[in-house]
C-alpha cells in the first residue's frame, strides 16, 4: 500500500497547484492514502484538498518579519519529517524549488521525489537570497532525492549545462499531465457575469496566468496597440493576479497607448477554462517558461496559441512533428511561435517605443484572427498533441523507482 505525500507552496491556481490537484485526484482514485502539505494556506486559496490538507502557516511570507520568516524556513523541514513519520509515508513529491529544498532537508526515509518546473538559468540571473539557496541545493541537498523530475528535455539540459546540477543520474523528464476529461467538462460552464458573457461575444485575445515580471506583459499591451486600427471590437483580456504595482503599470500603459477601453483585467478565476475556450487566441509574451500548462489547456479546448519563443521546450508542447518557419515566426499544429522578447533584463524597459519583436507578435495575432485554418488545424491535431500528457501514466511514472 502506497501512502503518498504531496508538498506544495500555496493553494492558488498556478501550474504547480493544478498539477498537484490532478495528482491528488488520480492517486486517491487508485486507492492510495494521500496527504497534502501546503506550506502557506490563505483564505483566498482556490485549490483545496479537504481533510487531507495540512497547513504550516496561514500567514504569507511577505507578512512575516525577517526573523519570523527565517525561523519558519528552519523549522519547516522538521515539520515535514514529523508528518512523514506520523502518516507512514512511502512516497513524497515536492513541487518547485522552495518545497524541494524543504523536503531534501527533512532527512526522512520515504521514496523522495523533487520536481523542477521552469527554465532556471534565466531565473537565477535575479540575484537574491532564495535563488542563491536554491542553486546551492542543486550541488548539495538534492543528493537526498531518489528522483528529480524535469518537465521537459530543455529544462533538464538547462540544469546540467547552465546551473551546475550535480546529481545528473537522478533527473528524469516527465511532462506535466492533465485531466482532459475534467477540463472538457469545466470548459462548458457559464461565465461568472452577464458583462463577461457580453465581453466574450467579441474576438478576445486572452492572457491566463500570474501577472509577474517574467511574463513581460507590457510587450503584449504594446503588440495589441498595433491592432487598434484593425478592428475596435477586439478585446485584450487578462485573467490572473499577482504584482499589483505591475498591474497598475499595465493599466497606465494601456491608457497612454489609447487602448484602455479594449483592455480588461478580470482578476483570477476558480474555473478559467470556459474563458479559455471562448477566447479567439491565447497569448503569451513570457521571457522564459518551463513548459507552460496553459498551452496544453488551450490545445485541450481548441484555442490557438501565439507565444514568444520563451523556451526551446515550447516546440515540444505545440508540435508533434517538424514545425514550419514562416517569415518571422514558426507555424505549428497549435499556433504560432514568435521571437523571444528577452534581452538580458527582467525589469520593465525604460524605453516604451515599439520593438521589432512586438511588431512580429502583432502580425502573428492578425494572421490567426483572419485565418480560420488555424482553428481547424488545432482541432484536427488535438489528440496527437495531447497524447503524451496522460495523467494516469505520468502519475504512475512519478512514483515508480524506474527512470
Amino acid at each position: 500500500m502506497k501512502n503518498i505525500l504531496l508538498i506544495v507552496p500555496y493553494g492558488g491556481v498556478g501550474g504547480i497547484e493544478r498539477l498537484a490537484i490532478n495528482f491528488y485526484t488520480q492517486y486517491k482514485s487508485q486507492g492510495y492514502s494521500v496527504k497534502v502539505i501546503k506550506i502557506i494556506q490563505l483564505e483566498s486559496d482556490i485549490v483545496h484538498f479537504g481533510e487531507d490538507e495540512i497547513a504550516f502557516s496561514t500567514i504569507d511570507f511577505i507578512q512575516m518579519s525577517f526573523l519570523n520568516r527565517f525561523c519558519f524556513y528552519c523549522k519547516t523541514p522538521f515539520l515535514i519529517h514529523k508528518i512523514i513519520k506520523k502518516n507512514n509515508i512511502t512516497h513524497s513529491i515536492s513541487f518547485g524549488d522552495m518545497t524541494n529544498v524543504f523536503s531534501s532537508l527533512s532527512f526522512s526515509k520515504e521514496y523522495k521525489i523533487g520536481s523542477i518546473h521552469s527554465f532556471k538559468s534565466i531565473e537565477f540571473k535575479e540575484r537574491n537570497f532564495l535563488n542563491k539557496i536554491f542553486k546551492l541545493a542543486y550541488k548539495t541537498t538534492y543528493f537526498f532525492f531518489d528522483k528529480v523530475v524535469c518537465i521537459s528535455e530543455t529544462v533538464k539540459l538547462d540544469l546540467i549545462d547552465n546551473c551546475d546540477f550535480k546529481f545528473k543520474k537522478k533527473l528524469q523528464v516527465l511532462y506535466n499531465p492533465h485531466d482532459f476529461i475534467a477540463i472538457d467538462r469545466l470548459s462548458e460552464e457559464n461565465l461568472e457575469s452577464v458583462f463577461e458573457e457580453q465581453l466574450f461575444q467579441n474576438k478576445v485575445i486572452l492572457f491566463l496566468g500570474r501577472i509577474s515580471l517574467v511574463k513581460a506583459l507590457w510587450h503584449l499591451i504594446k503588440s495589441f496597440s498595433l491592432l487598434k486600427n484593425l478592428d475596435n471590437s477586439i478585446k485584450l483580456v487578462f485573467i490572473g493576479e499577482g504584482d499589483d504595482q505591475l498591474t497598475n503599470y499595465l493599466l497606465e500603459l494601456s491608457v497612454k497607448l489609447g487602448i484602455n477601453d479594449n483592455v480588461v483585467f478580470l482578476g483570477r478565476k476558480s474555473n478559467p477554462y470556459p474563458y479559455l475556450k471562448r477566447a479567439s487566441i491565447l497569448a503569451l509574451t513570457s521571457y522564459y517558461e518551463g513548459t507552460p500548462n496553459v498551452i496544453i489547456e488551450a490545445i485541450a479546448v481548441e484555442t490557438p496559441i501565439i507565444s514568444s519563443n520563451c523556451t526551446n521546450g515550447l516546440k515540444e508542447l505545440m508540435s508533434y512533428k517538424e514545425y514550419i518557419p514562416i517569415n518571422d515566426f514558426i507555424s505549428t499544429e497549435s499556433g504560432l511561435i514568435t521571437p523571444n522578447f528577452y534581452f538580458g533584463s527582467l525589469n520593465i524597459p525604460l524605453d516604451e517605443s515599439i520593438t521589432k519583436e512586438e511588431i512580429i507578435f502583432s502580425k502573428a495575432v492578425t494572421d490567426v484572427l483572419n485565418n480560420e485554418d488555424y482553428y481547424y488545424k488545432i482541432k484536427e491535431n488535438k489528440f496527437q498533441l495531447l497524447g503524451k500528457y496522460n495523467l494516469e501514466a505520468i502519475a504512475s511514472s512519478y512514483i515508480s523507482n524506474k527512470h
Side-chain angles (χ1 to χ4, degrees), residues 13 39 75 94 130 133 248 303 342 346 358 388 390:
V13 289
I39 304 299
K75 73 178 182 180
S94 51
L130 284 179
I133 294 296
N248 289 334
T303 298
Y342 180 70
L346 295 179
E358 289 160 356
K388 55 190 174 185
N390 178 271

Side-chain angles (χ1 to χ4, degrees), residues 212-213 216-219 243 245-250 253 287 345-352:
S212 62
L213 286 173
L217 294 172
W218 50 89
H219 292 301
D243 188 326
Q245 185 176 354
L246 177 56
T247 301
N248 289 334
Y249 168 75
L250 296 173
L253 181 61
Y287 280 160
S345 172
L346 295 179
N347 297 316
I348 298 170
L350 297 176
D351 183 358
E352 293 180 351

Side-chain angles (χ1 to χ4, degrees), residues 1-5 27-28 31-35 87 89:
M1 176 65 177
K2 291 183 173 69
N3 299 325
I4 298 174
L5 176 68
Y27 292 139
K28 292 284 282 189
Y32 299 149
S33 170
V34 187
K35 296 294 181 182
N87 293 279
I89 297 298

Side-chain angles (χ1 to χ4, degrees), residues 32-44:
Y32 299 149
S33 170
V34 187
K35 296 294 181 182
V36 183
I37 291 173
K38 268 187 197 172
I39 304 299
I40 304 292
Q41 181 192 69
L42 302 174
E43 288 186 10
S44 58

Side-chain angles (χ1 to χ4, degrees), residues 260-302:
N260 51 301
D261 289 339
N262 296 71
V263 177
V264 183
F265 287 79
L266 293 180
R268 71 175 183 171
K269 300 293 179 182
S270 58
N271 177 16
Y273 299 117
Y275 300 87
L276 184 56
K277 182 170 184 173
R278 297 187 192 202
S280 305
I281 292 170
L282 172 73
L284 298 174
T285 53
S286 301
Y287 280 160
Y288 64 86
E289 295 275 2
T291 53
N293 287 330
V294 70
I295 285 181
I296 308 304
E297 293 161 349
I299 295 170
V301 299
E302 300 174 7

Side-chain angles (χ1 to χ4, degrees), residues 137-156:
Y138 290 169
K139 296 181 281 188
T140 54
T141 66
Y142 274 66
F143 168 82
F144 298 107
F145 283 111
D146 295 283
K147 178 191 296 186
V148 178
V149 172
C150 304
I151 59 171
S152 75
E153 191 66 34
T154 303
V155 168
K156 176 183 174 180

